[in-house]
Amino acid sequence: MQGLIDRGKYKVIEVLDSDENCEVCLCIDVMVDSGYKPCLINTYKSKQAIKELLPLFYDKQFQKCSGFQRLVTEYGSISVVFDYHSGESFDSYFSQKPALSFEQRADLAQSMLLGAIELDMLDDRLAAGVLRRCNAVVDSGLMKISFNCVIPVEYVPQEHFRSVRLGKMLCSIFPPDRKLPLDIDRFIIDLLNGGYGSCVEIYSAWRDTLQKAEETLKAYEKESFLKRCIRRAKEKKLRKRTIPQSE
């Protein structure tokens, strides 16, 4: 990283994280006429990290990911440059309990699950490093959720981490609500139970779930008040989400 700075290639805007093994910086490429579009640079300095991660970063599948820009090797370190997504942090945005319509929440979920598909191309260690809620940002103008690539050095993912983590995030996007179609709750519960092995499978199931949920909402509009009360009483027991503590 220091070599890139010394050569005048990048200018550091903010150091996001730093220790003896890794440094993550928000930078701008001063040699490209891109309106100084920011980027993320992960620099790994320990011999063990370089030994373990370098082959993963050199993998052709990894380098096909849309957010990857370049890999730079220097004496005693490697630096990986990624696109940077601006927006409000995922947890901060949803902690405010925004008043969103079902359609807006569905758009946010759609963008998140669609964007996660690329993580199927990566080694589990890299995918798990990216697919963390601390990396997720919300662009409320575009109604889009993106993941910034801040990848820690030591990270051992658990089985079905894609399914469980996305399920937890959907719990925030779709908080428990008696007006929410039960189709969404069932889908989230399946995710939390590790029901899917890949992001492609998750996205495909989501598309089917969303179609059913939209049909369910239309059916709700035709219900009488009494029928609605009876249905909600029956659904109450089925809406319980057991959120795992791990992953």
Side-chain angles (χ1 to χ4, degrees):
M1 178 65 194
Q2 190 59 46
L4 295 174
I5 296 171
D6 293 342
R7 293 197 297 270
K9 175 63 176 172
Y10 294 97
K11 178 181 179 181
V12 175
I13 303 301
E14 181 181 358
V15 177
L16 303 178
D17 193 14
S18 181
D19 59 31
E20 67 276 9
N21 296 315
C22 178
E23 184 175 58
V24 182
C25 296
L26 177 62
C27 303
I28 54 173
D29 187 339
V30 297
M31 298 181 68
V32 176
D33 184 17
S34 60
Y36 295 116
K37 183 178 180 181
C39 60
L40 274 175
I41 301 182
N42 289 233
T43 298
Y44 302 92
K45 299 173 286 185
S46 72
K47 291 183 179 179
Q48 188 64 26
I50 295 172
K51 178 182 178 181
E52 294 179 5
L53 294 176
L54 188 57
L56 304 181
F57 290 135
Y58 263 122
D59 187 272
K60 291 182 179 179
Q61 288 294 97
F62 168 76
Q63 298 198 7
K64 288 179 182 177
C65 290
S66 58
F68 170 79
Q69 292 188 17
R70 60 189 301 216
L71 171 66
V72 180
T73 58
E74 299 179 292
Y75 179 75
S77 70
I78 57 173
S79 294
V80 194
V81 185
F82 298 99
D83 292 344
Y84 174 73
H85 303 286
S86 60
E88 186 173 358
S89 72
F90 183 91
D91 282 340
S92 173
Y93 180 80
F94 285 104
S95 68
Q96 301 169 41
K97 298 181 180 179
L100 301 173
S101 66
F102 174 80
E103 290 74 17
Q104 289 173 315
R105 293 181 185 277
D107 286 344
L108 288 170
Q110 170 88 0
S111 68
M112 181 182 75
L113 298 178
L114 183 59
I117 287 178
E118 278 199 340
L119 299 179
D120 283 347
M121 300 167 58
L122 306 184
D123 175 90
D124 280 356
R125 180 170 176 175
L126 296 184
V130 176
L131 187 59
R132 295 180 296 152
R133 59 194 303 135
C134 61
N135 283 341
V137 293
V138 180
D139 185 326
S140 56
L142 297 176
M143 297 308 293
K144 181 179 180 180
I145 295 174
S146 304
F147 289 94
N148 281 314
C149 294
V150 177
I151 303 174
V153 173
E154 297 179 3
Y155 210 86
V156 180
Q158 294 187 3
E159 191 176 10
H160 304 303
F161 69 90
R162 292 173 174 85
S163 181
V164 174
R165 292 185 187 177
L166 289 171
K168 286 185 174 183
M169 294 180 74
L170 284 177
C171 283
S172 296
I173 298 174
F174 294 102
D177 188 329
R178 61 180 183 170
K179 297 179 181 179
L180 187 69
L182 196 59
D183 312 275
I184 300 294
D185 279 277
R186 287 173 175 150
F187 175 63
I188 291 175
I189 290 170
D190 285 345
L191 285 170
L192 294 174
N193 289 332
Y196 300 93
S198 71
C199 293
V200 170
E201 291 177 15
I202 293 169
Y203 181 72
S204 178
W206 160 253
R207 294 299 299 162
D208 291 340
T209 298
L210 182 59
Q211 182 177 353
K212 293 176 183 177
E214 290 171 343
E215 293 172 354
T216 299
L217 283 174
K218 291 179 181 178
Y220 285 174
E221 293 174 356
K222 300 177 182 179
E223 288 180 330
S224 66
F225 176 75
L226 178 59
K227 187 175 181 180
R228 184 180 302 116
C229 290
I230 294 173
R231 172 181 57 78
R232 286 178 176 174
K234 291 180 178 179
E235 289 180 349
K236 188 175 182 180
K237 293 181 180 180
L238 301 176
R239 291 187 184 276
K240 294 181 180 180
R241 306 171 185 173
T242 302
I243 303 177
Q245 296 301 310
S246 60
E247 289 297 349

